[in-house]
Structures are given as C-alpha cells and as structure tokens.
Amino acid sequence: MQASAELLEYIYQNTGMGLTTIPQILEISKDEELKRHLSAQLEKYQKIHQEAEERLKVLGEEGQEVGKFEKIRAYLMINMETLTDKSTSHIAEMMIQGSTMGVIQAIQKSRDYQGTDPDVCSLMKKLQKIEEDNIEQLKKFL
C-alpha cells in the first residue's frame, strides 16, 4: 500500500510541475500550432494529475502540491532560457528536454516500484507514453 502511495505521489508531483510550467510557456510562445499542442499536453497532464489525486484519496493520502521553491525555480529557469530566444524551435527543444527527463524518471520509477498495484503501474506507464508521444510531436517544431 505504501509503495502505491509513493508512486502515485510521484505521478501527482510530476504532472503538477507540468501544470505549473506549461501555462507560462503558453504565454511566451507566439506559434499558434505549438500553443495548441501545449494546450493538449496540459489537458493530458490535468487528467493524469486528477486520477493520481483520486487514487491517493482512496488510499487515505493527499497529494502534495509542488513546493513554492520548485515553482519559483522552474519559473526563473524558463524565463532565463527564453530571455534571448523565444523561437518556436527553442521552446520545442526545452519541452523535449523536459519530456525526455520525464521518460527517464518514469522508467526508473517503474523499475523501482515493480510489483506495485497494477492499476498504479498502469497510470505510470500512461504518463510515460504521454511523455514519449509529446517528444515525437514536438520534433516537428524544431
């Protein structure tokens, strides 16, 4: 039970960071097609985030929001990265790097929590697939 809660918390935190950063990037981007893609990505994160939150509640747990320090750090990082280059290609590159990190972490967490509740593992795999698809779709913006 504890392992399931830990994995769900990771999923909740991971998608929470996406819910924090994507709106900021949407404000920076001028490319309407990229904005549509990012908006769709945001919706996918919202669904996974909500599902993780609901599953945590069933376990008697509450998802912890992304900390203020992490939010500020991400905000500043995005601003620094786009200070001199707000091009569609650069924004896509940044997003690909973030999703690549997400895939790596998803694989590691899946291995670390092997044997956990199959439904929770399935949700982790779903998040991994979303990240992999995101990378493929963002390549056209490079």
Side-chain angles (χ1 to χ4, degrees):
M1 194 69 100
Q2 182 63 26
S4 293
E6 288 174 11
L7 188 55
L8 285 168
E9 181 61 35
Y10 168 77
I11 294 166
Y12 186 81
Q13 288 277 317
N14 179 286
T15 54
M17 186 57 80
L19 295 175
T20 298
T21 56
I22 291 176
Q24 181 184 359
I25 294 170
L26 282 167
E27 288 180 22
I28 294 168
S29 178
K30 303 295 182 220
D31 185 303
E32 291 304 318
E33 187 178 353
L34 178 60
K35 283 183 170 188
R36 280 190 296 279
H37 169 76
L38 293 174
S39 294
Q41 184 71 16
L42 186 62
E43 286 180 28
K44 291 174 187 175
Y45 281 148
Q46 286 170 330
K47 287 178 184 173
I48 298 281
H49 189 76
Q50 184 176 358
E51 190 170 344
E53 181 178 38
E54 290 168 4
R55 288 174 187 244
L56 280 165
K57 285 180 182 176
V58 168
L59 296 175
E61 302 285 336
E62 189 172 319
Q64 300 298 309
E65 295 298 324
V66 175
K68 286 184 182 183
F69 176 75
E70 287 298 316
K71 286 182 180 180
I72 291 169
R73 191 172 136 250
Y75 177 82
L76 293 173
M77 185 101 128
I78 291 168
N79 281 343
M80 291 294 292
E81 285 286 325
T82 58
L83 188 62
T84 58
D85 188 356
K86 292 177 174 63
S87 70
T88 298
S89 176
H90 183 66
I91 291 171
E93 178 184 349
M94 288 171 45
M95 295 300 295
I96 288 170
Q97 289 171 350
S99 286
T100 300
M101 263 186 11
V103 169
I104 292 167
Q105 291 172 345
I107 292 168
Q108 290 171 333
K109 292 291 182 186
S110 292
R111 284 192 185 134
D112 291 346
Y113 289 93
Q114 214 167 23
T116 305
D117 179 334
D119 290 337
V120 175
C121 290
S122 176
L123 188 61
M124 183 74 253
K125 290 290 185 193
K126 189 175 181 180
L127 178 57
Q128 179 182 336
K129 177 78 169 112
I130 287 170
E131 296 289 15
E132 290 169 344
D133 290 347
N134 191 42
I135 292 166
E136 286 306 309
Q137 293 172 12
L138 284 166
K139 287 178 182 179
K140 70 180 176 185
F141 296 102
L142 293 175

